Amino acid sequence: MSAEGGLTTAGYIQHHLTNLAVCADAAKDATGHCHGFWTFHLGTLVISGLLGLLAFGLMAKLAGKATSGVPSGWQNFVEMVIGMVDQQVRDTFHGKSALVTPLAITIFVWVFLMNAMDLIPVDFLPLVAGAFGIHYLKAVPTTDPNLTFAMSITVFFIMIWMNLKVKGFGGYMHEIFTAPFGAKLAPVNFIFRIVEDIAKPISLALRLFGNMYAGEMVFILIALLGIYQLPLALPWALFHILIITLQAFVFMMLTIVYMSMAAESH
C-alpha cells in the first residue's frame, strides 16, 4: 500500500501512527499535528467508546435473557469470563467490596477488545476511513498513551477512595506516615509512599501501552513487505492473540492487587 499511496517507508509508518486529532486550544501545524494541551484523539475516543457500548450492551442484553438452566451460546461464554474474573478476585482481594469484581470484569473485557483491534489488518480501517475523507486513524486505542494513562489514573483514584473508605482519613494518614519504619521516620515513610503510589499508575499505563505499541509496529513493518507479508503476518497474529489476552489479564490483576492493598492494613 505504501507504494500505491505514494508514501515512503517512513511516511507510511508515520501515517499509521498518527492520531486523528481535534485541537481545542491551538491550531494544527502544516503536518496536521496539534500543539496544545487540550487535544482530543477522536480515533481513540470513538473506537474505545463503540467497543465499550458493544461489549457491555451485549452483556446487559444477555443478562436480561439469562436462564437458570444449562447456559448455551454467548451466555455460556460470558458466564465463563465472569466466573474466571470472579475467581481471581476471590483469590486475590481479601477485603469486602461490591465494586472490585465489576471493576475487574470491565477492565478485562474492555482492554481485551481494544487490544484485539490489533488483529485487524493495519490498512483495512484506514482505507475505509479514507473513503470518508478521514486521513489519520489509529485503530488500536491501547497504542495511545492518553488512553492507558486515563485508565491507570482512574484505577489510582479508585484505590485512594478504597483506602479512605476502609481505613478512614485518620487510619490512612497513619499508614502513610508510619509504615514501614515507624512514626520516628515519618518523613522517610511519606517519601517512600509517594514514590510507591506514583509508580503504580505509571507502570500500569506504560506496560500496556508499550506492549501494544510494539505489537502494532511489528504489524506495520510486516505490511511493508507487500506480497511477502502473509507467511509472517499469520504466525505473528496467532502469537499476538496470547499477547493481547495476557496484557488485559495483567492490567486486571494489578488492579485487583492494588484494591486489595488499599483494603488491608499494615
Side-chain angles (χ1 to χ4, degrees):
M1 176 186 169
S2 58
E4 295 172 359
L7 294 175
T8 63
T9 298
Y12 179 81
I13 294 173
Q14 182 179 9
H15 182 271
H16 279 72
L17 297 179
T18 301
N19 290 286
L20 175 63
V22 172
C23 312
D25 60 351
K28 293 182 179 180
D29 59 19
T31 64
H33 293 86
C34 296
H35 293 281
F37 181 75
W38 292 108
T39 301
F40 298 96
H41 292 174
L42 290 186
T44 299
L45 293 171
V46 171
I47 292 175
S48 62
L50 288 176
L51 289 174
L53 289 174
L54 175 64
F56 301 114
L58 176 62
M59 292 175 71
K61 184 177 180 179
L62 289 173
K65 296 182 177 180
T67 61
S68 58
V70 178
S72 61
W74 280 106
Q75 181 183 341
N76 185 43
F77 176 75
V78 170
E79 288 188 5
M80 286 176 58
V81 173
I82 293 176
M84 181 273 292
V85 175
D86 183 59
Q87 186 60 48
Q88 296 301 322
V89 173
R90 292 176 183 272
D91 293 342
T92 308
F93 182 76
H94 305 299
K96 293 182 179 180
S97 176
L99 172 67
V100 178
T101 297
L103 176 64
I105 293 171
T106 300
I107 287 175
F108 179 76
V109 173
W110 201 11
V111 172
F112 174 81
L113 289 177
M114 290 189 288
N115 290 350
M117 295 298 290
D118 213 4
L119 300 177
I120 299 176
V122 295
D123 289 326
F124 179 72
L125 289 180
L127 280 174
V128 173
F132 294 92
I134 300 173
H135 301 294
Y136 297 102
L137 181 65
K138 285 178 66 175
V140 188
T142 45
T143 60
D144 186 349
N146 294 278
L147 180 134
T148 60
F149 269 100
M151 295 186 69
S152 67
I153 291 172
T154 301
V155 170
F156 174 75
F157 283 127
I158 296 175
M159 181 187 71
I160 298 298
W161 172 83
M162 182 75 72
N163 273 291
L164 292 171
K165 179 176 181 293
V166 173
K167 303 165 187 173
F169 181 79
Y172 186 34
M173 291 298 104
H174 180 269
E175 180 180 279
I176 289 176
F177 286 101
T178 61
F181 301 119
K184 293 182 178 180
L185 292 176
V188 177
N189 295 328
F190 178 72
I191 293 172
F192 273 46
R193 184 58 179 257
I194 292 296
V195 173
E196 176 188 347
D197 282 354
I198 291 177
K200 289 175 182 176
I202 293 176
S203 62
L204 198 61
L206 291 181
R207 180 183 293 104
L208 178 59
F209 162 71
N211 282 279
M212 297 312 302
Y213 188 89
E216 178 73 355
M217 179 63 76
V218 171
F219 276 119
I220 292 173
L221 294 175
I222 292 175
L224 286 167
L225 298 176
I227 61 173
Y228 303 104
Q229 62 180 284
L230 185 58
L232 293 175
L234 183 58
W236 177 248
L238 294 174
F239 175 73
H240 207 58
I241 294 174
L242 174 63
I243 301 299
I244 64 177
T245 306
L246 181 62
Q247 290 306 311
F249 183 80
V250 168
F251 200 103
M252 176 197 74
M253 284 302 303
L254 287 176
T255 299
I256 298 172
V257 169
Y258 295 159
M259 295 302 113
S260 181
M261 293 172 64
E264 296 174 354
S265 298
H266 287 283

